[in-house]
Every structure is written in C-alpha cells, then in structure tokens.
Amino acid sequence: MRVTVAAWIGSANAGDELIHAALRRKLLARGAHVTAVTMHPDPGPSAVRHRDPVALARAVRASDALVFGGGGLLQDQTSSFNLPYHLSRLALARLPGTRRAVVGVGVGPLRTVAGRAQVRRALQGITAVSGRDAAPAELLDVEHLAPGARRLAERDAIELVRDFLGRDYDFSAYERFLAH
C-alpha cells in the first residue's frame, strides 16, 4: 500500500514532528510505502516538498491513501490562504479508490462561514477522522463535517505517540496539561 502523509512536517513544531514520526513508524510496520509532504528544503527520497505542486500531485495520485495530519491545520485565524492551502491535499486525493483519513488534527478556530464551509466540503468522503485532543474532536463533528466517516477516539493521537515512545513512557504531565 502507498500512503501519502500531508501535515506540517519539517517545521520547528516538535509536537507535529512527533505525531508524524509515530504515524510513519506505524504505517511502515504495516508494510506501507510512506511519502511525506514536507517543508524541509531537502526532502529525501521518500518525501516531496510542500511547495512543489507537480511532485505533490504525482505523489498523492500514486497513493492508495492520504493521511491528513497531524497538526493545527484546520483553522482560518492565521491567514485566509491557510485552509485552501492545506485542504488542497485532500482535494487531490478525491480519486476513486483513494482512501482519505484525518488523524491527529487540531481544528479551529474556524472564525468564518466560508472557512467552516471549506472544511465541510473537504471532509466529505473521509474514511476515518480524529482530533489531536478533546477540543478539536468536538469541532470534528462527524455527523456534519464528515458524514459516514469512522470516528476514531480523540486519544488515538496520544496512543500513537505512546506506542512510538514505548508503553512505559510517563504521560502524566501531558495528561494533566490537557485536563486544564
């Protein structure tokens, strides 16, 4: 199986990088060939640069599945270009037979009606969806935004990272942080 992972990879955000590393490891363990869409200037052999639309389209169209996330990708606060830029990857994967999943994604704020409509359209036909914590999971209302999608538990992103770091890793400080 060929999987393209589109997220905020190659940035200085350690949380997004950790989610990607854990997700990549899990996909590779299942025998998938993983291509990452990255911001890194030297993407390496199993990645494409996020600002190379031809390579990006080629990678997504050659994939059996697209995983969108993790990271705070679904928000319209930083720029009016943010949503169209990120959601374009989901649009590229709207080919028959290409599964699309949203995993470990932060949602919001979605301040505009147009932003909410863009997200709703992009998530139509998603196979599975999960937020990266409880607040985004409420906004990833499967009934309205992604009808028919299998809802993964909000804690799936934490479990993914826990598997990556080891089951005995102490997450208590992180869990206390999320509780506040």
Side-chain angles (χ1 to χ4, degrees), residues 4-21:
T4 297
V5 178
W8 200 245
I9 302 165
S11 71
N13 186 314
D16 293 349
E17 296 299 320
L18 183 59
I19 290 172
H20 170 68

Side-chain angles (χ1 to χ4, degrees), residues 155-168:
R155 305 212 26 102
D156 283 354
I158 294 173
E159 290 303 312
L160 187 68
V161 171
R162 188 184 308 262
D163 286 346
F164 180 68
L165 294 175
R167 284 289 183 195
D168 55 349

Side-chain angles (χ1 to χ4, degrees), residues 18-19 26 41 80-81 86 90 104 109 111 130 132 138 153 173-174:
L18 183 59
I19 290 172
K26 194 160 242 164
S80 60
F81 298 106
H86 289 297
L90 287 168
R111 296 182 186 267
S130 77
R132 75 176 164 200
E138 291 171 12
Y174 179 71

Side-chain angles (χ1 to χ4, degrees), residues 102-175:
V102 175
V103 178
V105 169
V107 181
L110 289 169
R111 296 182 186 267
T112 65
V113 172
R116 288 187 291 278
Q118 287 175 60
V119 171
R120 188 174 299 111
R121 273 192 310 276
L123 295 184
Q124 289 176 350
I126 294 295
T127 306
V129 63
S130 77
R132 75 176 164 200
D133 51 41
E138 291 171 12
L139 293 170
L140 279 174
D141 181 356
V142 175
E143 306 295 318
H144 296 97
L145 292 179
R150 183 171 58 115
R151 174 75 177 265
L152 305 173
E154 299 83 47
R155 305 212 26 102
D156 283 354
I158 294 173
E159 290 303 312
L160 187 68
V161 171
R162 188 184 308 262
D163 286 346
F164 180 68
L165 294 175
R167 284 289 183 195
D168 55 349
Y169 187 83
D170 182 9
F171 274 83
S172 58
Y174 179 71
E175 289 168 345

